[in-house]
Amino acid sequence: VTSDKVRFHVVGDVLMDVLATGLPRIPNWEEDTTADSVQCQPGGSAFNTAVHLASLIGKRGSVCFHGCVGCDSFGALLRSKLVECQVEPHLIERPLLSTGSCLVLSGGDEVSSGRSFVTCSGASGTLVMEDLAEVLREELMNIEPASRVHIHWGGCYDYNSTLRTALPNSMKELRHLAESRGVALSLSADPNATDAHHIEGLAETLDQLDLFKGNHTEARLLTGESLFGV
């Protein structure tokens, strides 16, 4: 890493989104409905963050993405998309699992509209700290003193219980290394809904972060407090 550039490491969910748009309504069980279009699109909150970061910083820095995929066509497409977008892929393949996917139903009418999600985490939901610790520790130990490195944990709603349990202690270790090397740490939950279990265990990481990226609902669930008098 050179001193005049920043290097981002983005960790988290990587999914293939299957988008059904233009639905007049969400069908009930045993019912059918039509859509204007159904198409596949690379996705996952952390994956999208990495792609957008690369487009913003261009040649002023570099972006690495860390996640898990299956040994299938979806996994190959997601890897190809990262390379196309100038993101360095660190994708661990799980041969016995399929690449994660999310069915997105979108539409409505003049009275009501919105989206619904059906997620199969697949390989994406198997990421554990052992997959990450060595490469992140090596990155922090070998950067030049004047270099800038940012580690972002995204799509935390999709983290499995093993990774959630390990995250606070691992974050403390990274924080210790980060303080002496100018490294920033950030985290975002990125849930599709407002269920409390989507952010379970994340509160213990807050005092180790430089930035928590979330909305009002996520902040309220994490702190147990009402914000801004609401």
Side-chain angles (χ1 to χ4, degrees), residues 193-217:
T194 58
D195 298 333
H197 72 271
H198 283 157
I199 59 169
E200 184 179 356
L202 300 184
E204 290 79 4
T205 69
L206 293 180
D207 59 352
Q208 308 300 326
L209 300 175
D210 295 288
L211 172 68
F212 170 75
K213 182 177 77 69
N215 58 32
H216 175 273
T217 300

Side-chain angles (χ1 to χ4, degrees), residues 58-147:
K59 295 182 179 180
R60 293 173 295 174
S62 60
V63 181
C64 302
F65 177 79
H66 305 263
C68 291
V69 297
C71 299
D72 51 26
S73 58
F74 277 175
L77 284 169
L78 289 162
R79 183 185 296 274
S80 177
K81 182 65 175 179
L82 288 172
V83 173
E84 175 190 333
C85 295
Q86 304 299 309
V87 176
E88 184 179 325
H90 289 261
L91 295 177
I92 298 163
E93 293 185 343
R94 305 293 197 215
L96 301 181
L97 294 173
S98 61
T99 297
S101 57
C102 180
L103 176 60
V104 185
L105 306 177
S106 174
D109 52 31
E110 294 180 356
V111 177
S112 63
S113 63
R115 297 184 299 169
S116 293
F117 304 87
V118 182
T119 301
C120 174
S121 295
S124 179
T126 68
L127 188 68
V128 292
M129 195 58 66
E130 286 75 12
D131 297 325
L132 305 164
E134 184 175 348
V135 65
L136 293 181
R137 189 179 295 110
E138 182 178 354
E139 177 78 19
L140 294 181
M141 294 298 293
N142 294 321
I143 61 174
E144 298 176 7
S147 299

Side-chain angles (χ1 to χ4, degrees), residues 173-192:
E173 180 182 353
L174 288 173
R175 179 79 272 163
H176 177 71
L177 292 172
E179 287 177 349
S180 61
R181 290 170 171 81
V183 177
L185 304 176
S186 61
L187 179 148
S188 57
D190 305 312
N192 291 327

